[in-house]
Amino acid sequence: MKHPRLAIDIVTLFPGIVRPALRESMLRVAQAKGLVDIKVCALRRFGQTRHKSCDDKPFGGGPGMVMMAGPLFKCVESIKKSRGEGHVVFLSPDGKRFDQSHAERLSKKRHLILICGRYEGIDERVREHLVDEELSIGDFVMTGGEIPALCVVDAVVRLVPGVLGNRASLECESFRGGLLDFPQYTRPRVFRGHKVPDVLFSGDHKKVLAWRKEKSFEKTRLRRPDLLKGQGSSLPAGRQVAK
Ligand SMILES: C[S@@+](CC[C@H](N)C(=O)[O-])C[C@H]1O[C@@H](n2cnc3c(N)ncnc32)[C@H](O)[C@@H]1O
């Protein structure tokens, strides 16, 4: 690929989990358009001994295995050698909670290298001396970092200019402007007796906008009041929230 806006390398012991997701839908199209170049790096290639081991028992005892520093360093160094410097992200339940602002920031980088952990995690020296940033996708523990990495890739790639056919859809989705998205409807107008709100057929663009903003606000207030803190003038008239 000549000059993608964003290059991504996913470092994993289980490429078979990641690859199928990259071949579908928006991620496939983004790569086909040449806007992003996503590669999956099979960590096992950098394993030690003839068994290509990438993990070992934890020093100090305890259950499970820990991913070794050697293969991870060698793998990331080889990626940087062939694709240039990159921002190294380790997916980890104890990382910073990934959100839309992280996705926006990462979508402006040129090259991301995502490390997927397994087992009890990775040798701490990798976190200290190789990783630039640690991200969690939520307060729960998954078996590995592959699905968290795909979450980050999906949320980031759709923000790369040119990836979404209609960029306007980014402007009015959840978290933009600190509000959740408004309700959406499509045909039929009446489904099993449930009607679409009349205002959406009024033809009055201003009224529709005002209704949507009001609904966004209501939903945010009920489901995510934390998002409203610190907001003021962007809320519907009479809906200002105390700081
Ligand atoms: C079983 S977990 C290790 C959990 C680790 N022992 C702990 O308690 O924090 C194995 C790997 O899955 C990934 N992982 C699990 N949950 C995650 C989450 N919520 N966000 C991001 N990555 C996660 C990380 O890469 C982690 O190293």
Side-chain angles (χ1 to χ4, degrees):
M1 205 173 281
K2 262 197 166 171
H3 295 295
R5 283 177 183 267
L6 174 63
I8 302 178
D9 287 276
I10 304 174
V11 175
T12 171
L13 282 171
F14 295 91
I17 297 177
V18 178
R19 285 198 179 111
L22 302 178
R23 291 197 288 261
E24 297 288 338
S25 185
M26 176 275 298
L27 291 177
R28 181 184 61 75
V29 174
Q31 294 171 88
K33 283 184 183 172
L35 296 167
V36 291
D37 184 10
I38 310 177
K39 287 193 165 61
V40 181
C41 184
L43 183 62
R44 192 72 64 194
R45 282 177 37 221
F46 298 87
Q48 294 171 359
T49 72
R50 73 189 162 88
H51 298 294
K52 297 284 176 201
S53 300
C54 291
D55 58 281
D56 209 334
K57 292 181 190 138
F59 281 133
M65 302 296 272
V66 175
M67 287 171 70
M68 291 188 286
L72 283 165
F73 265 82
K74 277 199 246 160
C75 178
V76 170
E77 283 162 1
S78 108
I79 291 170
K80 287 184 175 178
K81 203 169 163 199
S82 64
R83 303 243 275 172
E85 274 308 307
H87 184 71
V88 182
V89 178
F90 174 50
L91 284 307
S92 180
D94 58 9
K96 280 219 178 94
R97 179 81 68 88
F98 180 67
D99 65 17
Q100 192 65 16
S101 67
H102 290 283
E104 278 168 23
R105 179 174 51 79
L106 295 179
S107 73
K108 296 184 181 98
K109 301 261 182 213
R110 305 292 309 175
H111 184 195
L112 298 174
I113 301 172
L114 306 181
I115 297 179
C116 308
R118 278 271 152 178
Y119 319 123
E120 296 305 316
I122 63 176
D123 189 303
E124 191 66 18
R125 290 164 291 185
V126 178
R127 302 172 75 149
E128 287 170 356
H129 305 294
L130 187 67
V131 167
D132 297 309
E133 179 172 14
E134 304 187 351
L135 292 174
S136 162
I137 59 156
D139 288 349
F140 47 87
V141 179
M142 298 194 70
T143 315
E146 288 74 15
I147 293 170
L150 285 170
C151 290
V152 170
V153 168
D154 188 289
V156 167
V157 168
R158 66 195 293 283
L159 298 177
V160 170
V163 168
L164 289 192
N166 185 356
R167 233 184 129 67
S169 54
L170 290 178
E171 300 306 325
C172 54
E173 66 187 4
S174 290
F175 308 113
R176 275 280 161 124
L179 295 177
L180 300 179
D181 201 3
F182 49 79
Q184 300 276 13
Y185 299 88
T186 185
R187 288 192 288 180
R189 190 167 175 163
V190 181
F191 176 71
R192 297 187 178 179
H194 306 294
K195 286 184 187 164
V196 174
D198 286 337
V199 63
L200 298 178
F201 304 97
S202 66
D204 184 333
H205 188 58
K206 273 192 183 159
K207 264 193 192 167
V208 172
L209 274 182
W211 179 86
R212 286 180 165 166
K213 195 158 189 182
E214 180 70 28
K215 290 289 167 192
S216 276
F217 172 77
E218 262 176 47
K219 197 197 271 186
T220 311
R221 184 173 58 80
L222 289 171
R223 297 184 184 186
R224 292 291 306 275
D226 56 299
L227 294 177
L228 294 172
K229 291 208 181 93
Q231 286 206 48
S233 53
S234 60
L235 300 176
R239 296 295 202 173
Q240 264 60 329
V241 178
K243 295 198 177 150

